[in-house]
Amino acid sequence: MRLPVLSAAFVIGVLIGLGSGVDPWAVALFLLAGAFLVPLAVSLRWRILPVLAVPFLFAGMLRASIDDADAARSLDQFHGRRDLVVEGVVTGDPSSAGRATSLRLAAERVRAGGEGADWVEANGDVLVLVSETTDIARTREKPFFRYGDRLALTGTLTPPQQFDESDYPAFLERQRIGTVMTFPHPALLDEGEGAAFYRGLYSIRHRLSASLGRAVPEPQASFTQAVLLGIRDNLPDELVVDFRRSGTSHLLAISGLHVGVLLGISLSISAAAVGRRRQLYLIGPLIVIAGYTLIAGAPPSAIRAAIMGVAYLGALAVGRPRSVLPSLALAASVMVAAEPRLLSDVSFQLSFAAMTGIALLSTSLAERATAILSLTPDREGVGPALSRLLIEAMAVTISATAATLPLVAFHFQQVSLVGLPSTLLTMPALPFALVTGAVAGTIGLAAGWAAAPFGWLAWAASAYITGVASAVGSIPGALVETGRLAPFLVWAYYAVLASVVFRRQIRRQAIKSWSLIRAWEQAWADRSRSVPWPLVALTFATAWLLWTFEATLPAGELRVVFADVGQGDMTIITTPRGHRIVVDGGPSPAKAAQAASSVLPFWARSIDLEQLIFRNL
């Protein structure tokens, strides 16, 4: 369990670093001091794992402190300026919303002031909502706006606005977007830019979507497009409400929960079909998650879930089921190291929670259920095999749902009381709907008449799923509003769940606790003088001074503090550039110095300007 502990230390360090915003040099010195502790622990025969976690903690803080947090605010200087022209390239696959298209534009240059004005280089992403009734829509077939289009947008750049209780600006900032542009006038300058791989991938997705629309009736075609391709443009609003009320909204999203459940079910089907010999049964699930990720357009949420799924399969491939959790921890820490702000992303949290729940709970749940029903592996026949397959699929669904329940309640502030039975009823039909939908869409690209039988099968599976969601979602009281759930309750839920899963390990660790304390006492008594204690202490002290210095630097804002000095109020002003001004220090220099010392940094020993105010007594 060393890897999960070290990964957890790194992630905790990232969280601390994102919240503190300290000098990277100070954190680097702390990391160096923490590295010195490792040979110290070896020489003193300490438990190496707790000591080794210290440098990983500071490594996470260092990674967070050098994160480019200002990337989302690179276009702030242009906010509010009218008739601004922004030129850039469309990234990602634009999505349609009614008579408008939402797209992400990587801005490259900006011009303000008319045709004769100079272009200014820009570097930042803009979320654009553009009308589909423009000149571009009249000259192109759908999709009107595509990945790789070079556009010139004339309009106004604004910061994202707050909607209801959802922190929409923070949501966009996590995606490195701090600017929006609503209904500008677009001009198509060029097309076909960007990576050829993504251009081809998005083209195939839209062609498959059109093929599914011809082979499968509505609204089942929209459902199949959503779960197979991640295209939700045509989903009816009432169907979305039914899925939300029935607690099966995860079926409509390409998320970690979706990929995790699909992986678990495909793993059970593959193991039942080819057996567990020579690990050949892992090839099928690997193809499933890789193909599903690509055909869904490879969005970041699906890529992250696929990485965790591959880590899960890799642990099974080496024949070490217990290494599943370390593999997931390693995958999560690597993704956080690449993008620290990923920790606050909902899809990442759901991906990790779902895969962890499947890894820790599904096997034990399936084994207990098969033992209760006496469905041991030695019982042959189609009936017992199908029963075991169904039990494993239900165990996967229950595990993923239990692991993600508090996150769903925390982020979406609502919980469906019928979510678990709805998921158990619909999930077995999902692989069938995906496979038949993929076959129908693929064949329909060449011959629509040949795709019709598979379209009927996809319609049957999709109609069953949407019918269950509509029926269960219509039950009174199916959806409960939880309100703003306290983070403490989320952590308490996971603490209780972890204590149930790891109860044996916790019991063994409690027995060893006393001996561990005595070992530390003995190691301290026998500590070696060869360890560079002065160097460790000097490094920590230097880092602490740098940290304190960084924390007391002016934050680029005007700061005004009023202090009571006996007769009136003393005013201490710190300008954005760090200049210090004192107004009306009062009759007592000692009190004035004491008040200033409590406000100014410890290293500030001078005042730039002192102004005395005389009052008429």
Side-chain angles (χ1 to χ4, degrees):
M1 297 295 288
R2 291 184 178 182
L3 191 55
V5 172
L6 298 181
S7 298
F10 178 81
V11 172
I12 292 173
V14 171
L15 286 172
I16 297 175
L18 290 175
S20 59
V22 296
D23 188 359
W25 287 104
V27 182
L29 282 174
F30 275 122
L31 176 60
L32 182 61
F36 285 145
L37 290 177
V38 177
L40 173 65
V42 173
S43 63
L44 297 182
R45 298 179 181 178
W46 288 352
R47 289 284 299 272
I48 190 63
L49 184 58
V51 178
L52 193 60
V54 175
F56 275 82
L57 177 74
F58 289 120
M61 295 177 62
L62 179 62
R63 176 62 187 93
S65 63
I66 61 177
D67 179 49
D68 186 12
D70 295 330
R73 296 185 289 273
S74 56
L75 296 173
D76 286 3
Q77 57 181 318
F78 303 107
H79 285 175
R81 304 186 65 174
R82 298 183 179 276
D83 296 330
L84 203 69
V85 181
V86 181
E87 182 179 323
V89 179
V90 177
T91 61
D93 193 13
S95 61
S96 178
R99 301 290 295 177
T101 296
S102 176
L103 57 89
R104 180 169 182 160
L105 186 83
E108 295 181 356
R109 58 178 187 167
V110 176
R111 186 184 68 194
E115 291 289 340
D118 295 331
W119 288 95
V120 179
E121 289 189 5
N123 182 21
D125 287 354
V126 185
L127 181 64
V128 183
L129 187 65
V130 58
S131 174
E132 293 185 351
T133 60
T134 60
D135 295 336
I136 297 178
R138 299 189 186 99
T139 58
R140 298 177 101 182
E141 296 181 355
K142 278 193 172 185
F144 303 127
F145 300 92
R146 304 162 188 170
Y147 169 82
D149 285 348
R150 176 170 291 274
L151 302 176
L153 304 176
T154 304
T156 304
L157 295 177
T158 60
Q161 302 299 315
Q162 187 83 21
F163 295 108
D164 299 329
E165 297 182 358
S166 61
D167 197 348
Y168 188 62
F171 168 75
L172 291 182
E173 186 176 4
R174 290 194 294 268
Q175 304 178 52
R176 297 293 193 267
I177 298 176
T179 302
V180 298
M181 203 173 195
T182 306
F183 296 114
H185 176 72
L188 179 63
L189 304 180
D190 197 2
E191 56 184 327
E193 298 190 22
F197 170 78
Y198 282 104
R199 287 203 309 270
L201 182 62
Y202 295 146
S203 176
I204 292 175
R205 290 179 70 233
H206 287 287
R207 291 172 60 192
L208 285 174
S209 176
S211 178
L212 281 172
R214 293 189 297 266
V216 183
E218 291 289 356
Q220 284 70 36
S222 299
F223 169 79
T224 309
Q225 291 166 351
V227 299
L228 180 63
L229 305 173
I231 299 177
R232 304 179 59 177
D233 301 347
N234 302 320
L235 275 174
D237 294 337
E238 57 273 13
L239 185 61
V240 176
V241 172
D242 289 338
F243 275 90
R244 184 174 66 249
R245 289 184 56 83
S246 63
T248 53
S249 295
H250 54 274
L251 299 182
L252 301 176
I254 309 298
S255 64
L257 180 60
H258 201 173
V259 174
V261 173
L262 186 62
L263 173 62
I265 293 177
S266 63
L267 190 64
S268 301
I269 295 175
S270 180
V274 302
R276 298 179 182 269
R277 297 179 180 179
R278 299 182 181 179
Q279 314 300 340
L280 293 178
Y281 73 101
L282 300 177
I283 297 178
L286 182 62
I287 295 176
V288 167
I289 61 173
Y292 183 68
T293 302
L294 289 176
I295 202 173
S301 59
I303 292 176
R304 292 191 290 264
I307 291 175
M308 292 185 181
V310 171
Y312 181 91
L313 294 175
L316 296 178
V318 298
R320 298 177 59 190
R322 294 184 179 180
S323 64
V324 170
L325 186 58
S327 300
L328 292 176
L330 178 61
S333 58
V334 169
M335 286 187 284
V336 170
E339 178 53 70
R341 295 183 182 272
L342 196 63
L343 285 171
S344 57
D345 187 83
V346 179
S347 64
F348 172 79
Q349 296 175 11
L350 291 175
S351 299
F352 183 74
M355 294 304 304
T356 304
I358 292 173
L360 296 179
L361 298 174
S362 62
T363 301
S364 60
L365 290 178
E367 290 177 350
R368 290 189 179 185
T370 52
I372 293 174
L373 299 177
S374 301
L375 296 172
T376 55
D378 56 347
R379 290 189 59 183
E380 299 180 355
V382 178
L386 291 177
S387 299
R388 287 193 295 268
L389 178 60
L390 181 60
I391 289 175
E392 291 179 355
M394 294 177 64
V396 167
T397 303
I398 294 174
S399 302
T401 304
T404 56
L405 179 63
L407 291 176
V408 172
F410 178 77
H411 289 293
F412 304 108
Q413 302 181 30
Q414 56 186 11
V415 172
S416 175
L417 299 182
V418 294
L420 183 58
S422 301
T423 303
L424 292 176
L425 289 173
T426 55
M427 282 306 300
L430 181 63
F432 188 75
L434 292 175
V435 172
T436 55
V439 173
T442 303
I443 296 178
L445 295 176
W449 61 270
F454 297 98
W456 299 335
L457 295 176
W459 170 84
S462 301
Y464 167 75
I465 296 175
T466 55
V468 171
S470 300
V472 177
S474 62
I475 298 176
L479 191 67
V480 176
E481 300 291 338
T482 62
R484 181 66 65 180
L485 195 65
F488 167 77
L489 297 178
V490 178
W491 287 109
Y493 177 93
Y494 284 116
V496 173
L497 188 63
S499 64
V500 173
V501 175
F502 299 106
R503 58 187 181 278
R504 295 181 180 178
Q505 292 86 337
I506 294 175
R507 189 181 302 113
R508 288 197 299 266
Q509 189 63 37
I511 296 175
K512 296 179 181 179
S513 296
W514 178 249
S515 60
L516 179 62
I517 295 175
R518 296 301 302 271
W520 274 72
E521 292 177 350
Q522 185 64 32
W524 179 257
D526 299 338
R527 63 187 182 277
S528 172
R529 291 294 180 181
S530 62
V531 177
W533 278 101
L535 185 58
V536 176
L538 178 62
T539 307
F540 268 108
T542 305
W544 182 259
L545 288 175
L546 281 176
W547 201 329
T548 306
F549 178 79
E550 170 71 16
T552 53
L553 282 177
E557 299 176 350
L558 180 66
R559 184 185 182 193
V560 181
V561 177
F562 300 96
D564 186 3
V565 291
Q567 295 183 2
D569 291 334
M570 171 182 176
T571 306
I572 305 171
I573 304 173
T574 304
T575 67
R577 294 189 176 183
H579 298 297
R580 295 176 290 275
I581 304 171
V582 173
V583 180
D584 192 7
S588 173
K591 289 186 177 180
Q594 183 179 4
S597 298
S598 63
V599 174
L600 300 178
F602 72 93
W603 44 267
R605 310 307 302 166
S606 62
I607 301 297
D608 297 299
L609 178 63
E610 182 177 2
Q611 181 67 39
L612 180 62
I613 296 179
F614 295 94
R615 295 185 177 88
N616 295 324
L617 300 178

